[in-house]
Amino acid sequence: MRRILAAGLLATLAVSACSAPSTTTPSESGATDATDRTYDVSGVEKVDEIAALLPQEIADDGMLTIGAATDYAPAEFRAEDLTTAIGYDVDLGKAIGKVLGVETEVVDGEFASLLPGIGSKYDIGISSFTITDERTANYTMISYITVGSSFAVKKGNPEGFDPESLCGETIGVQTGTWQEEELAAFTAECTDAGEEPIEVLPYAKQSDVTTNLVGGKVKAFYADSTVASYSVALTNDQLEVVGGVRDAAPQGIVVAQDDAELAEAIQRAVQQLMDDGTWAAILDSWGVSEAGLETAELFPQA
């Protein structure tokens, strides 16, 4: 996720996924209100061996506090009540708590304020943090998912959109995202080469980008790979991703660097959820199954 460059600018799809821009109606767009695709983790069982690794303070308190900026669907965002945190990261946090035998609480915060609060305000952070050298110099991170950028088109790609030949195409994008910056750079490359520029149509909400693709106003859209896959799911597969995932990078759960006990407990819990299929089931529920990792690695690596 390119929050490293555009913190909090990727607004939630959830609040207005059914709203239609002026070009289409909800029935024409095929949009669905099933934005909450929460996976029920109540069946995940405590693993005593892993739970025993928890620092005593957290075990005694019975609560694992998770910092997140709940503004990024489908990873972590607010349900229709605008209060309840949902998303695949939220489901993962709850499942980790089940393995460790503790309750979990998601505490919302501005994305830029989350890392400074790890180890004090928050026990851990699960909020689409890309693993970088700068972050691992100051925090321990546990990999669990990989996210890049993807193009989406109408199912079957009826207009023959080629993600390797963008000049002259009409492409939708959400404003303020890394992908908008990339499209601007691609457009400059087109004009420098004497070709037609890309017609970039920016929208404030990803839901509007998605609806205008279904409605035919744009030929494709460009977004984070998980956002693209989630959009496919929300439109009942009226869309598809083409060209795969570009520039994919792993994301990680953040733990204070001086808390080796907690880092090991979280790493072991995540690996347990990967091994028993829970993590894959969570991602499948949210329509982003291709993004999951099978190994929870600790960073910085020894």
Side-chain angles (χ1 to χ4, degrees), residues 44-58:
V44 176
E45 297 183 354
K46 179 182 178 182
V47 179
D48 291 337
E49 178 186 355
I50 300 175
L53 299 172
L54 266 179
Q56 196 61 47
E57 181 181 357
I58 295 177

Side-chain angles (χ1 to χ4, degrees), residues 168-273:
E169 299 287 16
T170 302
I171 302 173
V173 69
Q174 185 181 357
T175 55
T177 61
W178 166 261
Q179 288 79 19
E180 185 183 31
E181 293 184 27
E182 276 199 300
L183 287 176
F186 296 158
T187 296
E189 291 175 6
C190 291
T191 55
D192 289 346
E195 299 187 48
E196 290 185 35
I198 302 169
E199 184 181 3
V200 179
L201 296 185
Y203 298 91
K205 299 174 183 177
Q206 177 60 39
S207 54
D208 289 343
V209 181
T210 300
T211 305
N212 277 293
L213 173 57
V214 174
K217 188 172 182 180
V218 298
K219 188 179 286 189
F221 76 59
Y222 194 39
D224 275 2
S225 55
T226 48
V227 172
S229 295
Y230 182 53
S231 297
V232 171
L234 288 184
T235 57
N236 297 318
D237 293 325
Q238 292 188 68
L239 305 178
E240 68 178 74
V241 171
V242 293
V245 180
R246 306 159 67 100
D247 302 322
Q251 295 175 352
I253 299 168
V254 183
V255 183
Q257 204 165 66
D258 61 357
D259 200 340
E261 281 185 306
L262 181 57
E264 183 181 4
I266 298 299
Q267 186 271 333
R268 290 279 302 277
V270 174
Q271 189 61 58
Q272 170 68 25
L273 295 167

